[in-house]
Every structure is written in structure tokens, then in C-alpha cells.
């Protein structure tokens, strides 16, 4: 799923390590999310929305096939 994680992380001046620590996940998870190789659980999506102070829809771009 396409997402804006890398851009939002930059706006909030967070490194991948810092974001991973805030979300209690590995840096590899952040890398996989940013490269769109991994779709997060709904719980992780909500955590991301809290960190970035926005709606889940502002982070993830849903496209029907």
C-alpha cells in the first residue's frame, strides 16, 4: 500500500530509528513500510497517526485494483 511515511517522518524531523523507537518496532519495519513492502496492522497504523498527528488516511493511500 502506498504511503507518506517517509515524507511525514522528514516533516517531523525523525530518523528511522527514532520513529521505530516511538512505535516500539524495529528499524527494519520502518524501512519495509517506507518501501511499501509491508502493510501495517491497524494498531500500528493508529500509532503512526498519533505520532504524526494526522488521520490514517493522510498516511496511507488506498488504491483499488
Amino acid at each position: 500500500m502506498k504511503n507518506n511515511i517517509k515524507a511525514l517522518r522528514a516533516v517531523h524531523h525523525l530518523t528511522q530509528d527514532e520513529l521505530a523507537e516511538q512505535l516500539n518496532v524495529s528499524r527494519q519495519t520502518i524501512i519495509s513500510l517506507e518501501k511499501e513492502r509491508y502493510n501495517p496492522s491497524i494498531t500500528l497504523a493508529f500509532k503512526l497517526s498519533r505520532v504524526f498527528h494526522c488521520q490514517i488516511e493522510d498516511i496511507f493511500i488506498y488504491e483499488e485494483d
Side-chain angles (χ1 to χ4, degrees), residues 3 11 16 19 25 30 43 45 48 50 54-55 59 61-62:
N3 65 66
V11 167
Q16 289 174 333
L19 180 58
V25 299
I30 302 304
T43 303
L48 282 161
R50 280 191 221 116
C54 65
Q55 300 288 321
I59 303 170
I61 300 121
Y62 176 74

Side-chain angles (χ1 to χ4, degrees), residues 10-35:
V11 167
H12 290 270
H13 307 289
L14 293 169
T15 65
Q16 289 174 333
D17 285 324
E18 290 168 339
L19 180 58
E21 188 174 317
Q22 286 189 28
L23 297 171
N24 200 27
V25 299
S26 69
R27 181 173 170 260
Q28 189 61 42
T29 297
I30 302 304
I31 292 168
S32 294
L33 284 167
E34 288 183 357
K35 292 186 176 186

